Amino acid sequence: MTTPSEKLRHFASDNYAGLCPEAWDALVEANHHHTPSYGDDPWTSKAADLIRDVFETDCEVFFVFNGTAANSLALASLCQSYHSIICQDTAHVETDECGAPEFFSNGTKVLLVPGPDGKLEPASIERLVKRRTDIHFPKPKAVSLTQATELGTVYSLDELTAIGQCASKLGLRVHMDGARFANAVASLGVAPKQLAWEAGIDVLCLGGTKNGGAVGEAVVFFNRDLAYEFDYRCKQAGQLASKMRFLSAPWVGMLKDGAWLRHAAHANQMAARLAQGIRALPGVPILFPPQANSVFVQLPTPLVDALHQRGWRFYTFIGQGGCRLMCSWDTTEQDVDGLVSDLRELATGA
Ligand SMILES: *Cc1c(COP(=O)(O)O)cnc(C)c1O
C-alpha cells in the first residue's frame, strides 16, 4: 500500500494514528464473552469508575461515538433553544461540527468572540453578555472553551479559573471541549480535577480517539443535575452504542495504569522537539506557543508543495491559516527529525 515517498506516520492529525497497545489489548479482552448490551456491562461501569477516580469526584459519565456528538449533546443539555453559547472564533464547535451544536439544541445560537492564541478571555465574555440584555437577543447561557486549544496552546490554571469565576458571576454554565484534554494535563503537570470541576467546568467532553483510542469520547458531567435524561438525548441522537463495551473497554486499558497521560506527554514531547528543530531554521516562523502536541508554522506555498511531494502530510486549513504539524502518541523522534531535516533542506538548501 505504501509508495516509496509515503511515510508510515504523518503530522496531519492525531486521529491518523492507530490504537495504542493498551486500547487494543482491552478490546481483545472485551471480545471474549457474551456481555450485556447498551452500557449495562462491566467494562462500561469500570471505565466510568476510572474516570471518576481520575477526577477524584462522583461525576456522571457517558460514552458516545465522537467529539461532535459529545460537544453538541453536552451543549444541548446546558441550554434552551432561545439561549446562546459563547466560544472563541476558532472553536471546533463553530468551525468543524457542521452546525451540530445548533441542530441538537434545537437552535441555540453559537456566538463568537475573538481572543489571542485560540483562547477566550473573561473581559470579552463579559462584554458580549452585557452588550445586550433585552428580550430580542439570544440569552447567553453557556461558555464553551477548548483545552488544549485548536491552536495548540493551553489555558493556564489561572486563565481557566478566571473564566470559571467570570461565568459564575454572569450566570453562565461552562462546557469544555477536551478532545486533547490529556495533552493539557500533561503539559501543565497538574491534577485533572484542577483543570475541570475545581476550575468551574460543568461538563467536559473528554477525548479518547486522538490519544490512542479507536472510537468514542466520554461526556463527563461534574454538575450532575445537568446530566438529567442525558441517556435519552444520546439514544435519540443515535449515540447509544449497543455493543457499548467496545467504546468503553479501550478507556479501561488506557486509564487503569496511566497510559492516557503517558501517551499525551509523549506527543507533547515530540511537538516540543519539533518546535526546537524548527526554531533553528531561518525563515520558518512558529505562529503560536506550542504548549501541547502541535506546532503551527508559516510556510510559503512552494515549500508546502515540496514537503507534500516528499510524502509529508499535514493540514493547512486549521485555525487562522498556517500549517499545523500534529504529533501523536506514536510519533517517533526519527519522524520528527526526518521532517525537520527535509524542512531544512528545502528552506535553506543545506
Ligand atoms: C477532533 C476534535 C473534536 C472531535 O471531532 P470528531 O471528528 O467529531 O470526533 C472536537 N474538538 C476538537 C478541538 C477536536 O480537535
Side-chain angles (χ1 to χ4, degrees), residues 44 47-49 51-52 59-63 218-221 227 230:
T44 302
D49 281 344
I51 288 175
R52 286 186 271 269
C59 42
E60 289 268 13
V61 181
F62 302 85
F63 297 96
V219 182
V220 184
F221 285 92
F230 192 75

Side-chain angles (χ1 to χ4, degrees), residues 180-193:
R180 299 190 180 88
F181 183 82
N183 302 92
V185 173
S187 171
L188 293 172
V190 296
K193 67 176 175 185

Side-chain angles (χ1 to χ4, degrees), residues 88 90 114-121 149 153-156 159 291:
Q88 206 268 356
T90 56
D117 296 336
K119 296 181 189 175
L120 280 172
E121 292 176 315
T149 73
T153 58
V154 170
Y155 285 92
S156 71
E159 287 170 334
Q291 295 165 335

Side-chain angles (χ1 to χ4, degrees), residues 5 37 73 135 184 348:
S5 70
S37 50
L73 296 173
I135 193 131
T348 68

